[in-house]
Amino acid sequence: METKMGEANGAFPPEHLRERFDAIVARYPRRTAALIPILMAIQEEYRHIPREHIEGLAEYLGCTPAHVLGVITFYTMLSQRKRGRHHLYVCKTLSCHLRGAGEVLRALEEKLGIRADRGEVTPDGEFSLETAECLGLCEQAPCILADGIRFGDVTPETVGRIIDELKSRGA
Amino acid sequence: MPTLTIDGREITVEPGTTVIRAAEMLGIHIPRYCWHPGLSIAGNCRICQVEVVKPKLRFPCTVSCNLVASDGMEILTDSEAARKARADVMEFLLLNHPLDCPICDQAGECLLQEYSYAVGRDKSRFDEEKVHKSKRVRFSEEIVYDGERCILCTRCVRFMKEVAGEEQLAVVERGDHAEIAVAYGRELTSPYSMNIVDLCPVGALTSADFRFKSRVWFLTNVPSTCTSCARGCSITVGARWEKIQRLTPRENPDVNRWWMCDHGRLNWKYVHAPDRLGKALVKDAGRLAPADTDEAVRRAHQLVNRFVTKRGADGLFGLVSARLTNEEIFLAREYLAGVAGVKNLDVRPRTGEGDDFLITADKNPNSLGASLIGIAPEEGAVGLEGFAEAVKAGRIRGAVFFGEDVDHDPEALAALDSLEFLVVMDYHLTETARKADVVLPGVTWAEKEGTITNVDGWVSRLNRAIRPPGEARPDLSLLGGLLAAARPEEEGLDRPEAVFEALGKAVPAFAGIRYADLYSRSGRVAVKAAAAAD
Amino acid sequence: MSITERRILLHGIDREDSAAIDTYLADGGYRALEKALKEMQPSEVVAEVAKARIRGRGGAGFEAGRKWGFLPKQNEKPVYLTCNGDESEPGTFKDRHIMERRPHLLLEGCLITCYAIGARTGYIYVRGEFPHAQAALEKAIEEARERGYLGGDILGTGVSIDLFVHTGAGAYVCGEETGMLSSIEGNRGNPRLKPPFPAVEGLFRCPTIVNNVETLSNVPFVIREGAEEFLKLGTEDTPGTRIFCVSGHVERPGAYEFECGVNLKDVIEYAGGVWKGRKLKAVIPGGLSAHVLLPDEIDVACDFGSLARAGTIMGSCGVMVLDETVCMVRALQNALEFFSHESCGQCTPCREGTDWARKVVTRIEAGKGTEADVDKLYEIADNYEGMGGKTICALADAAAWPVKSYVTKFREEFLMHVRQGRCPLGG
């Protein structure tokens, strides 16, 4: 989860993450192989991949900033725009679609006042929405993945409860 | 060694040879976008599909760039299935392409145009909104990227990583939103970056220098050799209106493969500089005044001849440029050493940054030629280094500079004032030339023919791409004039081919190379000088 | 006919502590590993697995033992095992069940396989959207390490094997085996040109075996009980069990393990049948890529061969059930949104073709298509489908099969959208 370390500055790796990153790097015969796990950790820490970390990360792993950028933009869970403190992946693929994912998404958009397709974040920075391609929770369709928590069999009526639960867990 | 059949023709190839290469050996050109002989195989564009008749695969067609030839293999490059496969790829490639050929620099040398002409449909079936991507992105001062024209073949990405040695470009985003990018706040810094402009098979990467200058089909393309350093990369000079429009690398497996450096590519502006000499100059009452060229040549020889007759050759210094051609250097030596007996001969060295790829630290294009031909001070004679001192000491009293100057050396420059006479041949009016009694108007590499010998001994041709300004003449002709003045009884020698032949007889290193073999638009254009090999 | 589950892979998953090592050990866990390490040569393990003919559960159905046999005989480089847990074929969630509920089963399968193929290191690639599976595996790895089943000198045999979890970050195409290798190496998840195949040149340019989670999870049974026992399960075509992931319009969606050869109709019935008493409209039997089946086509045995003969694929065993209210045009639009979004963008036909098809079907769905568009839609898919010839990987094929089968089997419904200028089902 996000720590109070808050904003990123240019130094890489940030001191509080160094040990963790070094341990990831040690798993592979080549440093660059640690790129995606580390990006996922940065995403979790800062809610996005801060631009100012790209150069440092590239240097840390022995690749180029262009390479890092290519990777960041390939994977949908990595974002260059800062997401809300609670980011909701709303599955829209067929199994969820068949069981009302569209209605769930609309209810969420209405409730939060933001649009998923525009990558919007609520003005207080609390919530952001994103449609996801199959989350692999099809037996619980429609489903949502948020803050590492899974919500299954969601209906337009239950989205309010999900938001409340995420809020109550804090950041 | 596997023997395969391509379009009914048999060929035996080295194990591991791909079908696209085997076809090339048979003179069969299989369309390609992503494949390039100098880069790794990406296999992404899919235009090089051919029909595989034998062995039977799960599918009728596949890409020939990654298909390794096997014994008994049967390939059809132009069957109905192969044509259909390519036509389908063409249709897909053009869906989101802006089709802005009228304002695209690549038009005329665009592989999209080429292959849609060959296999494309006459009408688009695409009724949807095209994907919009980045336009006019500066990858560097010199390189402009258009994401909408890009077909994502990744030649540029691979070049930067594999040849230039640093992955400064990447594909970003994915699917049909993918495009090529540099990292934030960065630009391409490799001294070889501009090769990606040539590599780009479409109009996605263009040269800022060449953009909108000329339609490529109006260019006169002349094969030549870059003279910006001792590598001597093979190039094509694209000229129009008697002006150079661009230089591009020309394939030469022995020297530069497919590449050249950006500096060499852009280092031609001086050819059209305003200080070019269009007329001979002869000093009259202390001032240089325009003169007839033949008259100036005679006058130059007169100065040399009188000096040598009066004082002997020991007081004469000859500076011969290692930027001149082998033929010119040979005639310069014939004249200075052979006719006048000058022992104080030297070149002006030029050095700078080199690398472990193409760029040499030696910035003279023909140092090896000059050295093989024998432009160096004899034992105990005066070289460029001791020149100013020797002038001060009164040991050197006259000088002849062929294609060279000492503008870089204030002491040497000042020493020129003390000389009894100075003859300079050059293509522009240097500070050195301003101090001369006779200035002979030579030309640049772009305006003359001849050969140069690169750092590894490969002899390559320069060819005349444009007309020289005014009455300027190829240096060989001026040197031939001097020799003719000295030896009026002998047959004149100023045609490059004849001089090269004479050079071959006089200097063993050049023996056995036929001048006529050196001019070629394809295949091997350089022949290794025997002596340089060791 | 009523059928019963045969839970080998999903054994005991209803237990709260199904993931714990003690639970696993109590059920005979890690005995196969011990047997392999102490009583068998690596080549004997390979032979036993080959004999069991475990067909690849990722969807391609290639026999694991044969794949292992492609490793170069002369080799100086390290060998790697990579376990494909990038389960992202829509409608599939079987690997997630194994990883979360029976992580030690998978680890044991990986460890035995590493031993068999001579790998010192294995990576389990888990998609980024599965944080629970990642956590479960990480925990299981620690437990196994503590008990001496993983790490250096396993069970005092001198054999050392490390397993690591590698997270994905959101890309369907990383489920393609070479896309996964690219991703583990820290690259964009672009599938690679083949040849070379991973067994010859894979991860870090070393010989690599890539197997799916469910595939590897079958290995402990084969080693412990013997290939003969495994062959008694399922069919001649596809021995063993498979986890059927039933989703969509059924009463009880879920993961159910049956012997291969079970009738598709029975599987759907087992999951409670079509919900709300509605009529069945269509079944997608093997994940979203699979060709759709009509109600009269689902009386079919579920193994690779039978489903292929039925004109579809067994694939990932993601059975999606569509009831009578579903608009097939909208369903295809949904599928193409998925595939065009997930195309890596390398190969021209897939990059351009899948999105073109999406745009056309979107127009038809909106009632703005023409009859010619319906034919065009089919042709586009036909032009990018190439069984590996037209593109580097099979994503284009996966994106073509729904198009071709929906347009063919529900052609009238597509034409109705055109003629009525809207969805005839009111969707």
Side-chain angles (χ1 to χ4, degrees):
Chain A
M1 286 300 97
E2 188 189 347
T3 72
K4 57 182 176 300
M5 299 308 292
E7 298 309 304
N9 61 39
F12 198 92
E15 215 33 65
H16 65 294
L17 295 172
R18 178 180 291 277
E19 209 176 315
R20 184 168 161 203
F21 289 178
D22 286 349
I24 295 174
V25 169
R27 295 175 163 192
Y28 307 95
R30 290 189 205 161
R31 296 183 71 85
T32 320
L35 180 56
I36 293 160
I38 288 180
L39 284 170
M40 285 291 275
I42 295 173
Q43 174 74 43
E44 186 180 81
E45 180 78 10
Y46 300 101
R47 292 186 269 140
H48 70 308
I49 310 295
R51 194 173 285 194
E52 56 271 32
H53 274 341
I54 292 177
E55 297 264 338
L57 175 57
E59 197 179 327
Y60 175 65
L61 294 180
C63 58
T64 64
H67 180 90
V68 174
L69 188 64
V71 169
I72 293 171
T73 55
F74 188 87
Y75 296 95
T76 54
M77 296 185 78
L78 304 173
S79 167
Q80 295 191 77
R81 260 201 286 191
K82 194 160 186 165
R83 290 172 173 166
R85 249 164 235 110
H86 311 286
H87 184 70
L88 289 82
Y89 290 105
V90 184
C91 181
K92 64 171 278 284
T93 317
L94 195 59
S95 297
C96 285
H97 167 75
L98 291 174
R99 293 177 80 104
E103 290 72 38
V104 166
L105 179 65
R106 270 194 293 281
L108 273 168
E109 288 186 326
E110 203 165 300
K111 177 98 188 152
L112 295 170
I114 51 174
R115 289 265 302 265
D117 57 354
R118 294 189 193 137
E120 290 171 343
V121 183
T122 53
D124 58 4
E126 284 295 311
F127 289 95
S128 51
L129 273 179
E130 183 178 344
T131 55
E133 294 295 357
C134 192
L135 293 172
L137 297 167
C138 322
E139 83 277 26
Q140 306 165 38
C143 63
I144 289 171
L145 179 69
D147 301 359
I149 306 163
R150 299 185 289 218
F151 300 93
D153 301 314
V154 183
T155 65
E157 293 72 41
T158 56
V159 297
R161 283 216 300 278
I162 292 170
I163 289 167
D164 291 342
E165 184 179 339
L166 291 171
K167 260 189 201 158
S168 72
R169 284 171 175 260
Chain B
M1 299 223 294
T3 299
L4 70 160
T5 312
I6 303 177
D7 295 344
R9 293 163 63 193
E10 225 173 60
I11 184 170
T12 302
V13 294
E14 289 291 326
T17 305
T18 52
V19 169
I20 200 169
R21 283 183 189 267
E24 206 123 285
M25 293 170 198
L26 285 169
I28 298 168
H29 178 88
I30 298 174
R32 77 285 304 265
Y33 292 111
C34 66
W35 186 77
H36 185 280
L39 302 172
S40 63
I41 301 169
N44 59 36
C45 77
R46 316 306 287 187
I47 195 74
C48 72
Q49 288 181 79
V50 293
E51 184 176 348
V52 186
V53 181
K54 252 192 214 163
K56 266 276 164 275
L57 305 177
R58 285 183 301 142
F59 30 79
C61 295
T62 194
V63 287
S64 55
C65 65
N66 197 46
L67 184 64
V68 173
S70 61
D71 208 39
M73 185 177 258
E74 271 180 51
I75 300 293
L76 295 175
T77 70
D78 207 35
S79 64
E80 202 179 314
R83 287 180 69 86
K84 161 91 166 67
R86 290 207 292 273
D88 290 346
V89 171
M90 275 317 302
E91 179 175 42
F92 286 133
L93 279 173
L94 293 178
L95 295 181
N96 285 298
H97 190 83
L99 299 172
D100 57 346
C101 309
I103 53 156
C104 178
D105 264 286
Q106 192 79 2
E109 53 186 3
C110 173
L111 294 187
L112 280 177
Q113 290 180 327
E114 167 112 7
Y115 302 143
S116 53
Y117 189 70
V119 297
R121 290 169 170 267
D122 58 350
K123 233 172 110 193
S124 173
R125 298 194 293 166
F126 187 72
D127 303 323
E128 325 299 327
E129 166 89 10
K130 294 190 184 201
V131 178
H132 293 291
K133 298 189 190 176
S134 310
K135 307 279 280 183
R136 289 175 294 278
V137 181
R138 285 272 170 172
F139 278 180
S140 74
E141 274 296 292
E142 302 297 343
I143 301 168
V144 188
Y145 174 69
D146 184 316
E148 294 184 354
R149 290 179 188 159
C150 178
I151 58 166
L152 294 159
C153 71
T154 69
R155 278 187 183 187
C156 56
V157 177
R158 283 175 284 144
F159 174 84
M160 293 308 296
K161 189 175 173 183
E162 298 165 11
V163 183
E166 200 185 332
E167 199 179 347
Q168 296 183 344
L169 285 176
V171 179
V172 297
E173 305 299 334
R174 71 184 191 204
D176 68 351
H177 285 75
E179 49 187 290
I180 310 293
V182 288
Y184 298 115
R186 292 230 178 183
E187 55 176 45
L188 300 180
T189 56
S190 164
Y192 298 95
S193 301
M194 289 185 78
N195 287 295
I196 67 175
V197 173
D198 314 322
L199 278 173
C200 183
V202 302
L205 291 169
T206 48
S207 154
D209 187 60
F210 182 64
R211 253 165 98 86
F212 309 124
K213 282 258 183 72
S214 168
R215 278 309 189 182
V216 295
W217 53 84
F218 294 124
L219 296 178
T220 307
N221 291 309
V222 176
S224 192
T225 302
C226 177
T227 59
S228 288
C229 82
R231 179 66 56 197
C233 293
S234 293
I235 57 170
T236 300
V237 183
R240 190 179 181 193
W241 305 295
E242 297 302 335
K243 278 203 157 53
I244 296 173
Q245 303 298 321
R246 67 173 184 186
L247 305 183
T248 47
R250 188 163 50 89
E251 181 181 348
N252 182 336
D254 298 317
V255 176
N256 54 305
R257 304 188 76 203
W258 301 269
W259 328 118
M260 75 185 296
C261 75
D262 294 359
H263 171 73
R265 180 189 300 260
L266 297 172
N267 187 25
W268 54 264
K269 306 290 159 70
Y270 67 89
V271 170
H272 304 297
D275 73 337
R276 286 294 304 272
L277 281 166
K279 211 157 171 53
L281 302 169
V282 173
K283 195 164 274 178
D284 186 21
R287 294 188 55 179
L288 283 172
D292 172 70
T293 309
D294 289 323
E295 186 53 43
V297 169
R298 273 194 296 276
R299 173 79 186 134
H301 176 63
Q302 205 176 42
L303 287 170
V304 172
N305 193 35
R306 268 193 209 152
F307 182 92
V308 173
T309 312
K310 204 164 87 192
R311 298 189 180 278
D314 287 353
L316 194 56
F317 178 75
L319 189 62
V320 180
S321 182
R323 295 187 295 194
L324 294 177
T325 65
N326 292 314
E327 298 74 28
E328 290 157 357
I329 292 170
F330 178 64
L331 286 200
R333 198 198 62 163
E334 280 295 288
Y335 182 73
L336 291 171
V339 171
V342 178
K343 295 188 177 67
N344 310 310
L345 276 181
D346 210 351
V347 295
R348 173 182 155 187
R350 282 185 180 75
T351 51
E353 293 270 317
D355 62 21
D356 55 5
F357 185 33
L358 294 178
I359 302 169
T360 63
D362 183 356
K363 301 304 174 193
N364 278 325
N366 200 16
S367 293
L368 186 58
S371 136
L372 289 170
I373 293 164
I375 307 298
E378 282 184 24
E379 187 71 34
V382 177
L384 180 58
E385 211 169 311
F387 171 70
E389 201 59 39
V391 173
K392 255 187 242 166
R395 207 177 138 196
I396 296 293
R397 295 174 176 231
V400 179
F401 287 6
F402 285 139
E404 199 51 280
D405 62 77
V406 290
D407 287 8
H408 66 296
D409 180 352
E411 230 179 302
L413 202 54
L416 298 179
D417 295 328
S418 319
L419 292 174
E420 287 177 23
F421 88 96
L422 172 65
V423 168
V424 170
M425 176 178 80
D426 213 325
Y427 63 85
H428 67 148
L429 196 61
T430 60
E431 285 307 307
T432 301
R434 284 178 201 280
K435 295 174 187 283
D437 296 283
V438 177
V439 182
L440 302 177
V443 300
T444 68
W445 57 272
E447 295 140 340
K448 66 187 175 190
E449 184 185 322
T451 66
I452 54 174
T453 310
N454 92 336
V455 64
D456 294 320
W458 295 102
V459 178
S460 306
R461 274 279 291 273
L462 297 180
N463 285 297
R464 181 172 142 160
I466 51 171
R467 256 201 318 265
E471 291 166 26
R473 279 188 202 172
D475 307 58
L476 197 66
S477 150
L478 298 169
L479 291 161
L482 286 171
L483 269 175
R487 298 165 172 168
E489 71 287 356
E490 284 183 24
E491 204 179 322
L493 196 60
D494 62 0
R495 280 188 315 110
E497 183 161 8
V499 177
F500 189 81
E501 202 177 308
L503 167 64
K505 284 177 188 150
V507 181
F510 291 90
I513 305 175
R514 266 167 34 99
Y515 188 80
D517 290 345
L518 298 175
Y519 185 95
S520 174
R521 279 171 189 272
S522 60
R524 193 164 160 184
V525 291
V527 178
K528 197 150 191 166
D534 34 58
Chain C
M1 192 178 100
S2 86
I3 51 172
T4 48
E5 276 194 78
R6 179 68 196 263
R7 289 190 179 180
I8 291 171
L9 305 168
L10 299 184
H11 177 82
I13 59 157
D14 296 332
R15 289 179 55 169
E16 187 73 17
D17 59 355
S18 69
I21 192 165
D22 287 322
T23 310
Y24 189 62
L25 288 171
D27 281 335
Y30 288 113
R31 265 192 236 147
L33 176 67
E34 190 162 359
K35 180 178 173 189
L37 261 50
K38 292 184 174 166
E39 297 167 25
M40 297 170 82
Q41 291 300 313
S43 60
E44 292 173 311
V45 178
V46 174
E48 197 65 20
V49 171
K51 196 172 156 198
R53 294 193 294 111
I54 308 173
R55 299 187 64 170
R57 270 35 175 177
F62 196 83
E63 286 178 26
R66 280 186 63 201
K67 208 183 219 181
W68 299 359
F70 293 152
L71 285 170
K73 302 291 168 259
Q74 303 291 319
N75 172 47
E76 302 284 298
K77 297 176 178 174
V79 174
Y80 290 102
L81 172 70
T82 53
C83 168
N84 191 342
D86 188 61
E87 184 170 63
S88 33
E89 177 66 30
T92 315
F93 41 88
K94 62 192 179 63
D95 297 339
R96 194 194 89 228
H97 275 75
I98 294 172
M99 291 188 284
E100 289 177 5
R101 307 298 297 157
R102 301 208 73 203
H104 285 287
L105 175 68
L106 174 60
L107 295 189
E108 188 177 12
C110 289
L111 291 162
I112 296 169
T113 304
C114 281
Y115 173 68
I117 63 174
R120 171 75 180 72
T121 310
Y123 295 99
I124 305 173
Y125 188 97
V126 186
R127 62 184 300 207
E129 294 89 342
F130 281 176
H132 302 80
Q134 291 178 7
L137 284 168
E138 296 275 14
K139 179 159 183 264
I141 286 171
E142 276 326 297
E143 288 175 337
R145 193 187 302 280
E146 280 166 21
R147 306 289 181 97
Y149 295 111
L150 184 154
D153 190 20
I154 297 171
L155 301 172
T157 59
V159 176
S160 300
I161 299 165
D162 269 313
L163 295 176
F164 299 108
V165 174
H166 184 98
T167 180
Y172 167 73
V173 76
C174 292
E176 197 275 353
E177 60 177 9
T178 58
M180 188 183 77
L181 298 180
S182 297
S183 190
I184 298 176
E185 290 179 3
N187 300 315
R188 296 165 62 82
N190 290 348
R192 301 177 185 173
L193 271 180
K194 285 149 281 223
F197 289 91
V200 176
E201 193 180 304
L203 192 63
F204 308 120
R205 307 199 72 169
C206 296
T208 302
I209 291 298
V210 185
N211 284 133
N212 166 263
V213 167
E214 187 185 357
T215 309
L216 289 170
S217 298
N218 276 302
V219 171
F221 179 93
V222 170
I223 296 304
R224 198 177 61 232
E225 310 292 331
E228 289 300 339
E229 286 303 307
F230 186 79
L231 288 166
K232 287 180 189 163
L233 301 166
T235 61
E236 169 69 22
D237 176 271
T238 314
T241 62
R242 282 207 72 176
I243 302 171
F244 289 76
C245 314
V246 189
S247 70
H249 294 157
V250 289
E251 290 290 353
R252 286 188 304 278
Y256 305 104
E257 186 177 357
F258 299 107
E259 286 187 46
C260 294
V262 64
N263 191 292
L264 180 58
K265 213 155 116 184
D266 295 334
V267 172
I268 294 167
E269 278 314 307
Y270 194 88
V274 182
W275 72 347
K276 300 179 181 176
R278 289 184 190 158
K279 271 199 247 161
L280 181 67
K281 181 161 188 175
V283 177
I284 301 160
L288 189 60
S289 313
H291 317 254
V292 71
L293 294 177
L294 295 172
D296 61 4
E297 294 174 316
I298 64 166
D299 187 3
V300 57
C302 289
D303 61 22
F304 282 102
S306 304
L307 283 161
R309 282 189 295 280
T312 184
I313 55 167
M314 187 181 207
S316 63
C317 252
V319 179
M320 298 153 110
V321 177
L322 283 61
D323 75 18
E324 57 188 324
T325 66
V326 176
C327 166
M328 293 308 289
V329 181
R330 180 71 188 87
L332 182 59
Q333 184 192 358
N334 183 280
L336 283 171
E337 280 168 4
F338 175 81
F339 289 113
S340 63
H341 182 261
E342 298 300 332
S343 168
C344 78
Q346 276 190 104
C347 302
T348 307
C350 177
R351 174 183 72 238
E352 304 292 337
T354 54
D355 203 54
W356 185 15
R358 179 191 65 80
K359 284 169 173 168
V360 173
V361 78
T362 300
R363 222 158 22 77
I364 296 173
E365 200 275 336
K368 291 175 183 150
T370 63
E371 292 197 14
D373 282 329
V374 179
D375 294 326
K376 186 160 78 180
L377 186 56
Y378 185 97
E379 274 173 47
I380 294 167
D382 194 49
N383 287 353
Y384 64 68
E385 177 198 9
M387 299 300 290
K390 289 181 189 167
T391 49
I392 289 172
C393 82
L395 193 146
D397 296 326
W401 298 333
V403 179
K404 293 173 81 170
S405 61
Y406 296 13
V407 169
T408 306
K409 293 184 178 178
F410 296 93
R411 186 177 168 81
E412 199 48 38
E413 194 168 323
F414 281 78
L415 292 175
M416 296 260 278
H417 279 74
V418 170
R419 291 181 195 135
Q420 297 185 12
R422 61 181 178 83
C423 178
L425 287 104

